[in-house]
Amino acid sequence: MNDEMKSTTIAERVSRRSFLEVGSVALATAAFGGLAAQAQQREDTQKAEGDHSSSNPGQENDVLLHQNPNTNTPPPTDHGDIGPIWYSFDLARKRVEEGGWTHQVTQRELPPSTDLTGVNMRLTAGSFRELHWHTADEWAYMLYGNARVTVLNPDGTVFIDDVGKGDLWYFPAGFPHSIQGLGPDGCEFLLVFDEGLFSEDNTFLISEWVAHTPPEVLSKNSNLGPSDIAKLPKDELYIFPADLPRSLAQDRDAVGGRSVQAAQQYTFKMRAMTPTKKTQGGEVRVVDSHIFSASKHIAAALVTVKPGGMRELHWHPNASEWQFYIAGKGRMTIYMPPGRARTMDFTANDVGFVPAVAGHYIENTGTTDLVFLEMFKADKFEDFSLNNWIRRLPPQMVTSHLNIDEATIRKIPAEKQEVLMR
Ligand code: MN
Ligand code: MN
């Protein structure tokens, strides 16, 4: 028996039942070198739920504790630190203005998320998110209600459309656009930007530009008289109330009709589309540049996982993943080398983050549908299924790695399910 085998055997003998027992053999196993020490370290952190070692006689924040049981007391398979993977819009300060509000979860709140940033915004009926543009591309999903959006193309054509719950829009960086809440009760939406440090408080605003241009220049540029210029806003508008617009057809006609109408479609009905994949466990709707050509730099999937179902063990080869939880309860474990894993619970209005190419799953831990969005800074949605990978390997190769025989291997689903039900 060589040293490595010896230490493995001793490590295996270490009791998984009692943390105290583990402690008593710590010195003995550590003496057998790296592997045993590693196993020892793992055992030390594997304090199963219910073990007296994890009891907490002191203070607890009951609401957080019950919402995040896996965060508070991780499963024994968790190990080490992979950095922050969770934030909630309900912890993000709201900027409330007359006509609505906004708050954001950026790289400032979730430091590893350098690719994408999210903003959650509410506009009451008639209210505007002021005419503006910015350095990042903007992807949006309507969570509630109705809105009218406009975006101008560099060739002078304009896109005007109405969006409702479950619809998307995509505005490229630098393209000037507007959002207005419609009846009966305005709207709420999620915005996703392809810059980690993007900030909604740092966009280019029409009001600020005219306020910071000498009046004689405005006069020369736009043919405005002194009394016209006196009426212009002196400060940012940002979110502000206004009258409801006329009908979509009337607004389109008012700017010049078909002759100025954009050829590019900037909205997409995501929730209404036929699922990209539908299984017993749920549904996945994938929208990327293949089916929504405007969406060049952000790919997305809308995932529904039924109670008892699970978004299978998988990873994405091309980007980190930024998640927004729309409904239900779930838990996710992310695996990262070397030997690290973190499990956390997620609920509606939470943001999840998966580092690029890290392995993960999302399990429905509630009694209702778990619905969430997966977003990637990429032109296409791509993932690998662990099951599918195992089944595309020669069985002997799998047996060599996982110690399971061919009959057992055949029980593993051969095809990628995306969402599965046991
Ligand atoms: Mn914008
Ligand atoms: Mn994923």
Side-chain angles (χ1 to χ4, degrees):
M1 203 185 252
N2 64 31
D3 277 355
E4 199 177 57
M5 286 169 73
K6 254 189 237 164
S7 56
T8 308
T9 312
I10 290 172
E12 280 167 355
R13 257 190 266 140
V14 171
S15 166
R16 284 170 186 275
R17 274 166 294 154
S18 163
F19 176 58
L20 291 173
E21 271 177 49
V22 171
S24 68
V25 293
L27 288 174
T29 45
F32 285 96
L35 194 66
Q38 248 180 44
Q40 181 55 52
Q41 198 184 11
R42 209 169 297 135
E43 291 291 342
D44 284 357
T45 52
Q46 284 177 4
K47 291 171 280 181
E49 202 171 349
D51 188 301
H52 188 65
S53 305
S54 65
S55 60
N56 182 0
Q59 293 71 29
E60 280 173 340
N61 180 329
D62 277 346
V63 176
L64 278 181
L65 182 66
H66 289 115
Q67 220 175 64
N68 306 278
N70 289 281
T71 301
N72 186 282
T73 308
T77 42
D78 272 17
H79 182 247
D81 181 21
I82 64 164
I85 60 168
W86 174 93
Y87 205 83
S88 179
F89 274 107
D90 285 312
L91 294 177
R93 182 187 69 88
K94 269 199 189 89
R95 174 180 175 182
V96 183
E97 306 277 332
E98 189 186 355
W101 48 255
T102 181
H103 53 177
Q104 56 191 5
V105 176
T106 72
Q107 197 181 326
R108 299 165 196 87
E109 288 74 27
L110 201 47
S113 180
T114 55
D115 291 344
L116 300 176
T117 285
V119 170
N120 175 216
M121 191 178 289
R122 162 89 168 126
L123 297 173
T124 58
S127 295
F128 277 106
R129 166 63 172 90
E130 179 185 351
L131 292 164
H132 71 284
W133 72 98
H134 33 68
T135 53
D137 278 22
E138 171 176 321
W139 180 101
Y141 182 84
M142 288 289 285
L143 299 165
Y144 167 84
N146 301 286
R148 179 158 305 166
V149 295
T150 71
V151 58
L152 182 70
N153 282 318
D155 67 5
T157 58
V158 69
F159 178 83
I160 308 178
D161 201 11
D162 288 352
V163 285
K165 186 176 173 179
D167 294 346
L168 302 184
W169 71 73
Y170 194 98
F171 301 146
F175 282 38
H177 52 278
S178 68
I179 311 158
Q180 184 177 22
L182 298 178
D185 184 33
C187 58
E188 187 178 331
F189 46 88
L190 175 76
L191 301 168
V192 177
F193 300 92
D194 65 347
E195 280 176 8
L197 288 171
F198 179 86
S199 173
E200 252 298 298
D201 298 328
N202 196 15
T203 63
F204 295 83
L205 305 173
I206 194 170
S207 59
E208 285 191 342
W209 201 10
V210 298
H212 294 282
T213 302
E216 67 275 17
V217 174
L218 281 181
S219 172
K220 197 186 281 184
N221 183 75
S222 301
N223 207 21
L224 300 178
S227 63
D228 304 318
I229 289 167
K231 292 178 195 160
L232 298 175
K234 304 287 180 284
D235 202 357
E236 64 165 5
L237 298 167
Y238 193 64
I239 289 174
F240 65 100
D243 294 334
L244 281 166
R246 297 183 295 173
S247 74
L248 183 59
Q250 283 172 317
D251 265 9
R252 284 173 173 167
D253 282 347
V255 299
R258 292 190 80 77
S259 64
V260 299
Q261 197 175 308
Q264 174 70 53
Q265 181 76 23
Y266 288 104
T267 56
F268 188 93
K269 296 197 175 303
M270 186 183 210
R271 192 163 170 261
M273 75 185 266
T274 308
T276 314
K277 189 118 190 171
K278 188 173 175 151
T279 65
Q280 263 196 303
E283 297 172 351
V284 178
R285 288 168 171 82
V286 172
V287 178
D288 61 19
S289 63
H290 288 118
I291 61 166
F292 179 30
S293 61
S295 194
K296 283 194 173 66
H297 303 124
I298 299 178
L302 174 64
V303 182
T304 300
V305 184
K306 291 181 189 163
M310 187 171 100
R311 175 88 171 85
E312 69 178 303
L313 288 162
H314 70 281
W315 72 99
H316 306 272
N318 55 348
S320 67
E321 175 174 336
W322 198 97
Q323 305 166 337
F324 176 72
Y325 287 81
I326 295 175
K329 278 179 162 310
R331 74 165 183 170
M332 169 165 73
T333 301
I334 296 171
Y335 155 67
M336 292 275 284
R340 293 175 295 164
R342 179 82 197 268
T343 305
M344 288 193 83
D345 303 280
F346 296 85
T347 189
N349 221 27
D350 286 354
V351 172
F353 174 75
V354 184
V357 309
H360 56 288
Y361 70 85
I362 301 115
E363 184 185 21
N364 186 337
T365 50
T367 52
T368 56
D369 282 2
L370 171 66
V371 184
F372 63 94
L373 286 161
E374 303 177 358
M375 264 77 62
F376 309 88
K377 185 174 179 173
D379 65 337
K380 61 184 168 187
F381 175 92
E382 276 186 332
D383 63 359
F384 284 106
S385 150
L386 175 65
N387 286 342
N388 181 236
W389 185 30
I390 290 172
R391 291 301 308 276
R392 291 291 190 276
L393 297 168
Q396 197 183 336
M397 191 185 287
V398 176
T399 303
S400 300
H401 283 78
L402 302 180
N403 307 319
I404 50 176
D405 62 24
E406 202 170 333
T408 309
I409 293 165
R410 274 198 296 270
K411 294 197 288 192
I412 297 170
E415 301 306 322
K416 190 196 293 184
Q417 309 274 300
E418 306 284 6
V419 184
L420 49 78
M421 180 77 84
R422 229 196 109 204

